[in-house]
Amino acid sequence: MEYQAMLAWALPMGVGLAAVGSGLGLGRAVGSAMEAIGRQPEASGKIQTAMIIGAALIEALTIYALVVFFILSGKIG
Amino acid sequence: MGLDFLNRTFRTTAALLLIFVPVGLYYLGFYQTLAILSGGIWGILNVLFITRLVQSTIRAEGAQTSRAVAFALIKFPALYAAGYFLLKVPQFNPIHLLIGFSLLLAVMVLKVLGRLYLGLDNSVHKNEKLQKVH
């Protein structure tokens, strides 16, 4: 299989995997935050902040994968 | 570390971007600076909308459905479409957009590390006290 065909196959797979990983990570993070807020409602502000920071970092990884997709997609065909 | 931490992070990132603009225009060039600035602003708006979305959905009094839907509609189709068009601008290098986007995350991580190092959070003090007790 030539380089461009492999790239055309691997790029969408990579973005898809990044999206799946990010989705699983966000799901776990938000689920755990909900449990923590349920246990300690008075600490909801701190938990929300930590969750937002985590969500932003997790989401950033998918955006990085998407940007790499855009950078490398110019080399296909 | 409350929600004011995020507001301070937004302000610090905006200030850094403003400081960067003249430096970037002098050393990098117009489109490169504009790309980094656009990426930075996009990153700030992205996290701002995540914050507002979380604040409007996770509340002790119950979710504010209309606000949550409004923020979700702004963030997911509109902001992501803006990001797509930024990536498609031929004068913009995606690497420069990425640098701008990463600035907020870098500020956030450095601020958290600084707080941990200085022991500004109560939870850190509590942990230290617990460790001393045990």
Side-chain angles (χ1 to χ4, degrees):
Chain A
M1 200 184 294
E2 67 181 272
Y3 165 75
Q4 287 179 332
M6 283 181 75
L7 204 58
W9 182 83
L11 278 179
M13 285 290 286
V15 176
L17 280 174
V20 168
S22 170
L24 288 173
L26 270 174
R28 282 199 65 174
V30 175
S32 302
M34 293 301 100
E35 283 177 14
I37 290 172
R39 275 198 299 270
Q40 282 186 298
E42 70 277 3
S44 63
K46 286 182 179 180
I47 295 165
Q48 270 187 1
T49 308
M51 189 187 84
I52 290 165
I53 292 170
L57 293 174
I58 292 167
E59 195 187 345
L61 293 177
T62 317
I63 293 169
Y64 288 154
L66 193 67
V67 173
V68 169
F69 173 86
F70 274 101
I71 292 169
L72 293 178
S73 62
K75 295 182 179 176
I76 304 170
Chain B
M1 191 169 68
L3 288 167
D4 60 318
F5 170 84
L6 292 166
N7 293 328
R8 288 202 308 275
T9 308
F10 297 142
R11 282 201 297 269
T12 308
T13 312
L16 273 175
L17 283 171
L18 283 177
I19 292 167
F20 165 76
V21 167
V23 179
L25 284 173
Y26 186 78
Y27 286 106
L28 293 176
F30 178 72
Y31 286 114
Q32 289 82 353
T33 308
L34 195 62
I36 292 174
L37 188 66
S38 308
I41 292 169
W42 193 89
I44 291 173
L45 287 176
N46 184 38
V47 180
L48 184 72
F49 283 121
I50 295 176
T51 310
R52 296 289 178 265
L53 190 61
V54 169
Q55 279 179 320
S56 56
T57 48
I58 304 169
R59 298 169 73 241
E61 302 85 24
Q64 293 175 308
T65 315
S66 55
R67 277 173 67 95
V69 169
F71 284 129
L73 285 177
I74 293 170
K75 179 175 161 38
F76 291 108
L79 196 66
Y80 279 24
Y84 174 77
F85 286 117
L86 281 176
L87 282 168
K88 284 289 178 187
V89 173
Q91 286 88 2
F92 285 0
N93 188 343
I95 300 289
H96 292 130
L97 286 168
L98 210 59
I99 291 169
F101 169 72
S102 304
L103 189 66
L104 175 79
L105 303 172
V107 168
M108 206 180 262
V109 169
L110 287 173
K111 271 182 172 285
V112 169
L113 287 176
R115 290 181 73 87
L116 284 173
Y117 180 72
L118 295 171
L120 292 177
D121 287 322
N122 290 332
S123 56
V124 174
H125 289 303
K126 278 179 190 169
N127 285 339
E128 281 173 359
K129 282 176 189 170
L130 280 173
Q131 282 172 359
K132 281 178 188 170
V133 169
H134 292 294

